[in-house]
């Protein structure tokens, strides 16, 4: 039986929509036959138009004047959600940006199903915001309000790692104690859950969930650390002034963080950099920084760093090609340098895995399977550290970008049957 209930995985980097159809793939094609829609909105000033997903990225890379907004999910639960940004000469609330994207996500899904999708289970991280229950609740409430504005009538939430567990459970033949490791663009979430074909028939799974933990670290944090370690020093980060003080760092941190890149283009930020130019000992590096800012190429640079991060998951080195900033400028990054750049983040993730085991009162030897999902879960150092904690568990890799959406579709079909 077809249903108008769907599962929505609104991700920091990519999003999916799942629609449960027995015997068929759950994930719906959302753009160019692909089931993922990059979580991007591009405001094209020249054409006075708005594009989302790959189309928005393509217009930005083609050189159209405008504003590229990415990692919108990272705004939920923060004070930025109450703020505004200037787009096409008018102020636009950040909540309206999210609304545009969720609207597009729903419309594309409905064009595939032929149904008006009124019921949805949205995925959510274990914590939108670490150590702040009020901000975390506000983040969920904000997303629910945006979803209702988009036309979803009945909305439920499910933890993303639990949704991934449901997807894995649909393929197993025996009971397993599974640690789900979901490393997304903005968060790392973990669920220790008992799965089995028989348990999959139950609607209430609380008794099967032994523990849930999460930390606000994900792939975009790896991007930021790699950018600060490898790209930003070429633009003057940690270079010295005549006073022997270091260059102010705010512009570099803004340019290394997806959802704050546009802040580096403001008049105030540019004026601050210009005021210290004459004092800089390495003005050639600041010339590169000004070139980047004048071209509004911050997102372009972030994409080069992201590509290098992905390459370093399978190779021992990657090369940044930075001709957009300066002709012939390149930077080679080694796997070891990447590991060093993200060491603190991996330490926090490892501590969270230990926490979930302690919360459940389970020894590592009792865990049958580690199920990896999330686009950033392929980072080698991350895999090595988790394997060292759970040496006896089998490792299963799910659909890194699709397991959560598929699991949410299953959950939606059960809840709204």
């Amino acid at each position: 039986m077809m249903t108008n209930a769907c599962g929505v995985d609104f991700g920091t980097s990519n999003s999916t929509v799942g629609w449960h159809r027995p015997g068929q793939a759950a994930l719906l094609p959302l753009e160019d036959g692909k089931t993922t829609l990059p979580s991007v909105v591009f405001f094209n000033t020249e054409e006075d138009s708005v594009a989302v997903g790959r189309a928005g990225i393509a217009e930005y890379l083609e050189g159209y004047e405008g504003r590229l907004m990415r990692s919108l999910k990272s705004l939920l639960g923060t004070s930025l959600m109450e703020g505004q940004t200037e787009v096409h000469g008018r102020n636009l609330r950040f909540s309206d940006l999210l609304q545009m994207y969720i609207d597009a996500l729903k419309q594309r899904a409905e064009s595939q199903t032929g149904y008006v999708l009124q019921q949805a289970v949205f995925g959510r991280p274990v914590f939108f915001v670490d150590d702040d229950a009020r901000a975390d609740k506000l983040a969920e409430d904000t997303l629910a309000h945006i979803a209702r504005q988009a036309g979803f009538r009945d909305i439920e939430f499910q933890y993303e790692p639990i949704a991934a567990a449901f997807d894995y459970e649909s393929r197993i033949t025996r009971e397993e104690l599974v640690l789900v490791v979901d490393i997304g663009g903005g968060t790392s979430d973990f669920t220790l859950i008992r799965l089995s074909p028989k348990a999959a028939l139950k609607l209430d799974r609380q008794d099967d969930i032994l523990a849930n933990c999460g930390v606000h670290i994900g792939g975009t944090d790896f991007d930021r650390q790699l950018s600060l370690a490898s790209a930003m020093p070429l633009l003057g980060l940690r270079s010295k002034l005549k006073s022997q003080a270091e260059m102010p760092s705010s512009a570099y941190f803004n340019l290394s963080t997806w959802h704050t890149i546009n802040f580096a283009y403001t008049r105030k930020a540019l004026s601050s950099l210009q005021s210290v130019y004459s004092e800089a000992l390495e003005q050639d590096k600041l010339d590169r920084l000004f070139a980047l800012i004048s071209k509004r190429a911050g997102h372009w640079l972030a994409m080069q760093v992201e590509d290098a991060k992905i390459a370093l998951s399978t190779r021992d080195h990657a090369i940044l090609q930075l001709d957009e900033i300066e002709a012939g400028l390149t930077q080679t990054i080694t796997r070891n340098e990447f590991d060093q750049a993200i060491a603190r983040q991996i330490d926090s993730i490892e501590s969270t895995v230990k926490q979930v085991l302690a919360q459940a009162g389970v020894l590592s030897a009792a865990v049958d399977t580690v199920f990896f999902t999330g686009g950033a879960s392929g980072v080698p150092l991350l895999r090595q550290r988790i394997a060292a904690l759970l040496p006896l568990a089998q490792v299963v890799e799910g659909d890194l970008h699709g397991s959560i959406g598929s699991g949410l579709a299953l959950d939606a079909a059960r809840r709204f049957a």
Side-chain angles (χ1 to χ4, degrees):
M1 177 181 293
M2 295 301 182
T3 173
N4 66 354
C6 65
V8 180
D9 177 22
F10 170 43
T12 302
S13 300
N14 292 280
S15 299
T16 63
V17 178
W19 188 51
H20 182 61
R21 295 161 292 174
Q24 298 185 55
L27 297 183
L28 298 168
L30 299 175
E31 185 180 28
D32 299 332
K34 297 179 174 62
T35 57
T36 56
L37 183 69
S39 302
V40 170
V41 179
F42 180 63
F43 295 90
N44 188 322
T45 304
E46 294 181 44
E47 303 289 337
D48 193 23
S49 60
V50 179
V52 301
R54 292 173 187 82
I57 295 172
E59 288 187 18
Y60 169 77
L61 293 177
E62 285 170 15
Y64 284 97
E65 288 292 326
R67 293 287 300 274
L68 185 74
M69 310 297 294
R70 189 175 178 183
S71 294
L72 300 172
K73 185 178 178 180
S74 298
L75 300 172
L76 290 168
T78 73
S79 58
L80 287 175
M81 279 301 298
E82 302 301 318
Q84 298 179 335
T85 187
E86 185 178 323
V87 176
H88 289 182
R90 63 188 179 93
N91 289 327
L92 190 68
R93 295 182 302 175
F94 284 109
S95 59
D96 292 333
L97 296 176
L98 268 73
Q99 185 72 64
M100 289 179 182
Y101 182 79
I102 297 298
D103 285 346
L105 197 63
K106 183 175 187 287
Q107 289 165 11
R108 290 173 185 232
E110 289 176 340
S111 72
Q112 293 295 319
T113 65
Y115 281 69
V116 176
L117 300 172
Q118 296 182 321
Q119 300 168 315
V121 177
F122 273 72
R124 59 151 294 165
V126 175
F127 299 113
F128 280 105
V129 182
D130 292 341
D131 303 318
D132 190 336
R134 180 180 173 278
D136 188 77
K137 180 64 164 58
L138 176 62
E140 182 178 292
D141 289 347
T142 300
L143 183 54
H145 174 74
I146 289 171
R148 290 191 184 93
Q149 291 292 106
F152 290 109
R153 186 188 66 213
D154 303 314
I155 300 162
E156 301 284 348
F157 284 92
Q158 180 60 271
Y159 290 130
E160 289 158 358
I162 294 177
F166 292 160
D167 178 53
Y168 176 59
E169 187 176 51
S170 69
R171 298 189 295 278
I172 63 176
T173 58
R174 62 180 180 84
E175 183 176 296
E176 296 180 22
L177 181 59
V178 179
L179 176 67
V180 179
V181 177
D182 170 25
I183 315 295
T187 58
S188 295
D189 295 307
F190 308 90
T191 291
L192 190 64
I193 184 169
R194 203 170 297 282
L195 302 176
S196 71
K198 183 178 180 180
L201 301 175
K202 299 190 300 181
L203 180 60
D204 185 357
R205 301 300 299 274
Q206 289 304 308
D207 291 344
D208 297 320
I209 301 168
L210 279 64
N212 243 347
C213 283
V215 62
H216 206 264
I217 294 171
T220 56
D221 298 283
F222 301 154
D223 294 343
R224 181 177 63 248
Q225 295 307 121
L226 184 58
S227 183
L228 291 170
S230 62
M232 293 303 148
L234 298 174
L235 310 182
L237 177 64
R238 292 189 291 275
S239 65
K240 294 295 183 66
L241 304 177
K242 292 175 183 177
S243 65
Q244 293 304 302
E246 288 190 353
M247 269 290 298
S249 61
S250 60
Y252 302 108
F253 276 86
N254 281 336
L255 287 167
S256 298
T257 307
W258 279 104
H259 61 278
T260 62
I261 288 172
N262 288 308
F263 294 170
Y265 306 147
T266 64
R267 291 179 183 175
K268 181 178 179 181
L270 185 59
S271 176
S272 176
L273 289 171
Q274 290 170 334
S275 70
V276 297
Y277 182 83
S278 63
E279 297 298 310
L281 294 179
E282 298 181 82
Q283 291 181 344
D284 58 324
K285 292 183 177 179
L286 290 194
D287 289 339
R288 293 169 180 165
L289 177 60
F290 284 123
L292 177 81
I293 291 173
S294 68
K295 295 179 179 180
R296 297 200 169 211
H299 287 90
W300 171 87
L301 178 57
M303 290 175 195
Q304 309 314 304
V305 173
E306 182 183 33
D307 287 345
K309 174 195 70 176
I310 294 169
L312 289 166
S313 292
T314 56
R315 302 203 301 263
D316 61 4
H317 75 280
I319 299 175
L320 290 176
Q321 302 285 352
L322 303 174
D323 285 340
E324 187 78 9
I325 301 171
E326 179 183 295
L329 182 63
T330 64
Q331 176 77 322
T332 299
I333 312 170
T334 66
R335 169 81 66 78
N336 184 58
E337 289 170 337
F338 179 42
D339 290 348
Q340 291 179 23
I342 63 172
R344 287 176 54 192
Q345 286 69 35
I346 297 299
D347 286 345
S348 295
I349 289 171
E350 181 181 21
S351 295
T352 308
V353 174
K354 292 177 179 178
Q355 183 182 344
V356 79
L357 293 172
Q359 189 183 107
V362 168
L363 297 176
S364 62
V367 178
D368 298 306
T369 303
V370 179
F371 181 73
F372 284 101
T373 189
S377 66
V379 171
L381 183 61
L382 173 83
R383 294 276 182 115
Q384 293 164 15
R385 297 281 279 276
I386 292 178
L389 290 176
L390 299 161
L392 301 182
Q394 69 166 335
V395 173
V396 177
E397 183 175 290
D399 180 342
L400 298 188
H401 298 290
S403 289
I404 293 171
S406 296
L408 290 170
L410 280 169
D411 200 22
R414 292 169 186 158
R415 294 188 192 215
F416 296 114

